[in-house]
């Protein structure tokens, strides 16, 4: 895996040298923080709403604020990640650095991994920023930390799967816009495919990207859910490798 | 060139297909292992040790059938919980049925509502309803309900409720008329009991073990031999439920007096009870003296056309289970009552008045006495807590002490202690300050690079 680190460093550098990373981070933080704030306000109103007294026992930080917050973040990631991944390969092509890179002594798998890890680090920064909102909650109440941590694990795996699919989409074209649209299309398709069923009751339900996140957000870590996301990541990176490798003989 | 492309292309295709095939196989194997960790602080998704003990005793196959629509929070809540049972015992199976798509299955088990859950072992069936009508999710004490249903299905002997007939009792086969007890019969069957008719004069003998005698509002006189039969049954440790209405069943009332139940010859009037269709003679009860039957029971019940019951300790240890309100009184002037007039007079006893009582002796005998039969009639059975009140009493009478009580699990957080000012500060920090810091650091870096 020699060569992963230089690529990772180069990619991270170009992320933060351009406005893209900052814009994505700001947009992600503003949207998630605002929706978090709305959940928080809603909870505070319900807490003192006399007509809600029957449901008082159900009124809970985790069900009213934490779980919806993580669900919201998963949707925001669906829209934002194609923007993060669109340039990873497509940009190399449009700026004509692809030939140079792909004929360099660095192995193709190292190049893909380096680019992928750079995007993954950006995802980790996004999630770390969003944890500031949860810190606010822990200062004033006591959310279930186990549930919060498993939700973050789920969100990280979900986002990492999105990134792998996004980098594959970027490997198919030289246009960043087209790459983003393809990535968004694939992700939305994989999101909606099992929308009417759960991961246990049908093949479509199992294939759906979001159905495996539900357990994490409830505080359940299942081996099959982890295996699913690792598989999605592997398939995404493998297809990227196959697509780029095919350029040699096409 | 074309041949080379074809060779490479085929190789790539085979590589993609075989890689995806291996990944699918790995996923399938891991899907079947069902390894999971509940990381919530209160172990919200893990069943209690009482349930695990109950599951250890399940030797035969029991199927848990959930009747749900394709999607819904109650469905996913049920699946999460039921899976916990299947994980711990291979004899437990789950099946999900959409009643709209499989009406025959719903009909087989007499299911008419979404959210019904049936536990079936061969021909024995216990029916539950696990959807919370307020939240739309699964009931908080669903684990307790399912585990108790399992215990009922796995108990060694089948308990039978014998309905005494031959004295103008309420018709337990009538599910249509307001007065009938057909819905009650169905409810008792759903609770896992056998139901059979019993007539003393036919000469049948009522087994003491695993039997409960139900005497539901007799209207015709009992012979001396019948009275003696009932006394013998009770004296030898029999278990029985009596529903004695005003102005009827006085022979039974005098038998029960011997066991510490003083059933007055009256009608309970409660002007504060203004239930539509119930009126003053349908007292609403919300005062339940402490007993294991009424522990945690929070619903109101209604006892239409009821006698009042007092208790005195004798050979049975007796207790009143339900009291009417303080504005009720015991009306004994039936002449005026028949004219539709009921007035509280100085001599009338004031509320609270008992309308349900239980008693037990050291010989395993248990008796429940209700001053009304209407409270479980077709029209009033589903009113508020009536059904549960009767079933709790029935389970206690039958001696199902092994039925467990599991406290519903609670998430660990309570109120959020926060002031309006703090809420404003939070908004400014998370929605304005943090994004602004990121934005300005971005601009600063961009500016620095530009200058360089």
């Amino acid at each position: 895996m020699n060569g992963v680190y230089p690529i990772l460093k180069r990619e991270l550098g170009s992320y933060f040298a351009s406005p893209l990373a900052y814009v994505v981070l700001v947009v992600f933080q503003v949207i998630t923080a605002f929706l978090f704030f709305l959940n928080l306000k809603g909870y505070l109103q319900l807490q003192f709403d006399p007509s809600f007294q029957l449901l008082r026992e159900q009124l809970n930080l985790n069900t009213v604020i934490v779980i919806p917050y993580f669900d919201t973040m998963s949707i925001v990631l669906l829209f934002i990640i194609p923007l993060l991944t669109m340039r990873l390969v497509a940009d190399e092509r449009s700026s004509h650095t692809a030939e140079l890179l792909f004929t360099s002594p660095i192995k193709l798998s190292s190049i893909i991994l380096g680019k992928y890890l750079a995007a993954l680090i950006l995802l980790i920064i996004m999630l770390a920023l969003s944890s500031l909102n949860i810190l606010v909650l822990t200062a004033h109440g006591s959310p279930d930390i186990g549930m919060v941590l498993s939700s973050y694990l789920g969100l990280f795996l979900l986002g990492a799967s999105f990134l792998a699919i996004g980098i594959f989409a970027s490997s198919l074209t030289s246009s960043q816009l087209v790459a983003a649209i393809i990535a968004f299309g694939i992700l939305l398709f994989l999101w909606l495919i099992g929308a009417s069923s759960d991961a246990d009751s049908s093949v479509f339900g199992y294939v759906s990207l979001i159905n495996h996140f539900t357990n994490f957000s409830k505080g359940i870590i299942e081996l099959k859910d982890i295996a699913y996301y690792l598989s999605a990541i592997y398939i995404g990176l493998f297809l990227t490798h196959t697509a780029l490798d095919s350029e040699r003989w096409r | 060139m074309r041949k080379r492309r074809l060779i490479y292309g085929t190789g790539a295709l085979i590589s993609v297909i075989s890689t995806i095939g291996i990944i699918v196989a790995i996923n399938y194997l891991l899907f079947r292992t069902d390894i999971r960790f509940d990381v919530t602080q209160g172990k919200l998704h893990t069943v209690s040790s009482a349930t695990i003990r109950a599951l250890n005793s399940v030797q035969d196959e029991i199927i848990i059938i959930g009747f749900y629509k394709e999607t819904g929070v109650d469905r996913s809540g049920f699946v999460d919980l039921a899976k916990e049972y299947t994980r711990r015992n291979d004899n437990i199976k789950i099946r999900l049925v959409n009643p709209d798509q499989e009406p025959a299955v719903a009909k087989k088990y007499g299911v008419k509502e979404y959210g019904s859950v049936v536990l079936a072992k061969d021909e024995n069936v216990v029916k539950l309803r696990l959807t919370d009508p307020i939240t739309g999710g699964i009931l908080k004490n669903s684990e307790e309900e399912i585990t108790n249903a399992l215990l009922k299905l796995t108990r060694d002997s089948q308990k039978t409720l014998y309905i005494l007939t031959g004295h103008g009792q309420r018709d337990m086969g009538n599910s249509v008329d307001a007065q009938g007890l057909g819905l009650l019969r169905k409810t008792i069957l759903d609770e896992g009991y056998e139901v059979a008719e019993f007539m003393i004069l036919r000469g049948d003998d009522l087994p003491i073990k695993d039997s409960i005698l139900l005497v539901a509002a007799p209207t015709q006189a009992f012979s001396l031999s019948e009275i003696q039969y009932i006394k013998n049954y009770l004296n030898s440790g029999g278990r029985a439920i009596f529903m004695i209405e005003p102005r009827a069943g006085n022979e039974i009332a005098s038998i029960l007096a011997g066991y510490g139940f003083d059933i007055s010859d009256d009608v309970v009037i409660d002007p504060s009870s203004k239930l539509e269709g119930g009126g003053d003679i349908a007292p609403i009860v919300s005062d339940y003296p402490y007993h294991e039957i009424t522990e945690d029971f929070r619903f109101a019940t209604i006892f239409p056309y009821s006698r009042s019951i007092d208790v005195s300790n004798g050979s049975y240890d007796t207790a009143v289970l339900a009291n009417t309100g303080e504005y009720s009184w015991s009306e004994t002037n039936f002449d005026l009552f028949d004219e539709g007039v009921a007035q509280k007079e100085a001599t009338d006893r004031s509320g609270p008045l008992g309308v349900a009582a239980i008693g037990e002796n050291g010989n395993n005998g248990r008796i429940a006495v209700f001053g009304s039969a209407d409270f479980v009639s077709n029209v009033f059975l589903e009113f508020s807590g009536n059904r549960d009140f009767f079933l709790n009493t029935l389970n206690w009478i039958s001696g199902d002490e092994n039925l467990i009580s599991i406290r519903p699990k609670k998430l660990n957080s309570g109120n959020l202690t926060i002031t309006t000012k703090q809420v404003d500060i939070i908004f400014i920090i998370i929605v304005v300050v943090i994004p602004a810091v990121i934005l300005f650091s971005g601009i600063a870096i961009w500016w620095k690079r530009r200058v360089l």
Side-chain angles (χ1 to χ4, degrees), chain B residues 300-331:
Chain B
T301 46
I302 185 167
F303 281 78
Y305 195 50
S306 183
R307 283 189 182 210
S308 66
I309 304 169
D310 285 318
V311 292
S312 55
N313 279 342
S315 59
Y316 271 63
D317 185 12
T318 49
V320 169
L321 271 192
N323 282 317
T324 58
E326 58 180 310
Y327 299 109
S328 60
W329 77 88
S330 156
E331 180 59 67

Side-chain angles (χ1 to χ4, degrees), chain B residues 201-265:
Chain B
L201 292 175
R202 207 182 279 146
D204 300 340
D205 217 6
L206 198 60
I208 295 294
K209 192 172 178 293
D210 298 327
S211 301
I212 305 128
L213 176 68
L214 174 65
V215 183
T219 54
Q220 288 161 12
F222 284 73
S223 70
L224 283 175
S225 64
E226 287 175 303
I227 289 172
Q228 194 54 49
Y229 185 92
I230 293 172
K231 275 186 177 173
N232 289 345
Y233 172 75
L234 295 176
N235 290 341
S236 47
R239 295 163 185 249
I241 298 172
F242 297 93
M243 297 175 191
I244 310 299
E245 292 197 297
R247 304 158 83 179
N250 283 334
E251 293 109 326
I252 299 290
S254 52
I255 295 175
L256 292 171
Y259 297 102
F261 299 96
D262 301 322
I263 305 172
S264 305
D265 187 14

Side-chain angles (χ1 to χ4, degrees), chain B residues 413-426:
Chain B
S413 60
N415 290 346
L416 195 60
T417 320
I418 201 162
T419 62
T420 318
K421 199 175 174 187
Q422 285 171 326
V423 171
D424 294 340
I425 294 170
I426 288 171

